[in-house]
Amino acid sequence: MDGRAVGDGEHGVSALRHRTGRFALVVVAVVLGWQAFLALSAPRRVDAALAAQLEQGGSADIAVTLGFPPEDFHIRVFQTHGIVSGVRGTTVLLNRVTPENVHRISRYYWVQRINAQRSQS
């Protein structure tokens, strides 16, 4: 056997030499970059007064503003994080949202702003 088909074993196989390996590295880099973007941009979406309120613990009533009118999909997603009490234009009103769920909501790229709900009085 001359080693042409399987190689002679002296040269290691580099993942970067194969198209699949390069593609996998690009996919991993894109996913990690996207997650880094979400992690860095999420805190900026939460209003400072609401963040201070959440640090005290308990749940909060929040207003989540999107860049477009919410559709059924968005309402269903928000229902997994709290009680949807209404929609006003591009803002969804959520009640009894835990601090952890506010953080999860802030990581959705389509959320522009999260504020505490204003009283109706």
Side-chain angles (χ1 to χ4, degrees), residues 1-12:
M1 195 155 33
D2 61 7
R4 288 185 297 177
V6 292
D8 56 9
E10 293 180 17
H11 297 95

Side-chain angles (χ1 to χ4, degrees), residues 64-76 78 86-92 110-112:
V64 181
T65 303
L66 310 178
F68 49 87
E71 297 181 7
D72 186 50
F73 165 79
H74 305 100
I75 301 301
R76 289 179 189 267
F78 290 139
V87 176
R88 292 190 189 132
T90 60
T91 301
V92 179
W110 32 269
V111 169
Q112 287 187 339

Side-chain angles (χ1 to χ4, degrees), residues 90-119:
T90 60
T91 301
V92 179
L93 305 175
L94 283 165
N95 296 333
R96 294 187 231 161
V97 183
T98 64
E100 296 81 23
N101 282 328
V102 171
H103 175 70
R104 286 185 185 111
I105 292 169
S106 71
R107 288 183 55 92
Y108 295 131
Y109 71 93
W110 32 269
V111 169
Q112 287 187 339
R113 194 84 184 134
I114 302 174
N115 297 310
Q117 285 187 30
R118 295 188 187 112
S119 61

